[in-house]
Amino acid sequence: MAFTAQDVKTLREMTGCGMMDCKKALTETDGNQEKAIEYLREKGLSKAAKKAGRIAAEGMVGSFVYGDTGVVVEVNSETDFVAKNADFQKFVEDIAKTIANNAPADVEELKTLTIDGGSQTVGDALTEKIATIGENMNIRRFETYKGINQSYVHAGGRIGVLVNFEVSDASKAETPEFVEMAKNVAMQIAAAAPEYLTEETVPTEVVEKEAEILKQQALNEGKPEAIVDKMVAGRIKKYYKEVCLVDQAYVKDPDMSVQKYVDGVANTLGTEIKIAKFARFEKGEGMEKKQDNFAEEVASMMK
């Protein structure tokens, strides 16, 4: 019995299984949808569909550098326990390599690519992992940079950082001094969580909103309107030092800014060094977290 691409799509929607798994199931069952579903259940693959709606805000962030390509990626699971599994960690790195080698535009395109070193697409491999591990999983986001990069992962994947540098003499990027500086900057980003690179990169609407809040705070403090604008200007400068990486106090030596620290290393090496961009991913940030209700869990067990 023949089947169409629409049949494959329908089976995928019904089971949550990967496209290739659905195609194989229909091939093995001569296009019979019901038998294909049974086939997938027997293989343990259709279990993934039951888990698709569950909250996945744990997992890990991985940051890697492959030659001149840096990748930071977040892959979520339901529990932190899964992130400690060596197979899951390898899966995250395989995804990162796939991103580095293929430069997908987004997660949806990434899922259509053949996973690095394997024969499945990333999407199908993800579905198989869901069925095998027994938890809902999701590839949430990634960022990739070309050039001179430094990666850093904190607390086993709770925070991942990727920093991209521009160096006038690229050979100096291989020196111990540069490598140490690059790692320190990455650790600074992990610890201090800057939101922007420089003052110029802070959106105008963000600055205006902050100034509006600061002005109202000053007025509420009873400050004379005549000096409020000067006070706000001063506080905006302080705001920049909190949210802009290059203006932040360097964690290892608060008497200097990150920019001065980088400039000092550049002078020592006799080259120009610029932090071009950075990405900081914190696992599950901004996502709904699973709330365990033990009373409800025990009650359900007693029914």
Side-chain angles (χ1 to χ4, degrees), residues 50 78 108 161 258:
K50 298 177 182 178
E78 290 183 56
E108 288 309 306
V161 172
V258 171

Side-chain angles (χ1 to χ4, degrees), residues 103 116 141 151 177 179 196 208 271 299:
D116 188 80
R141 54 182 171 165
S151 63
E177 294 85 354
V179 173
Y196 308 98
E208 290 176 348
T271 188

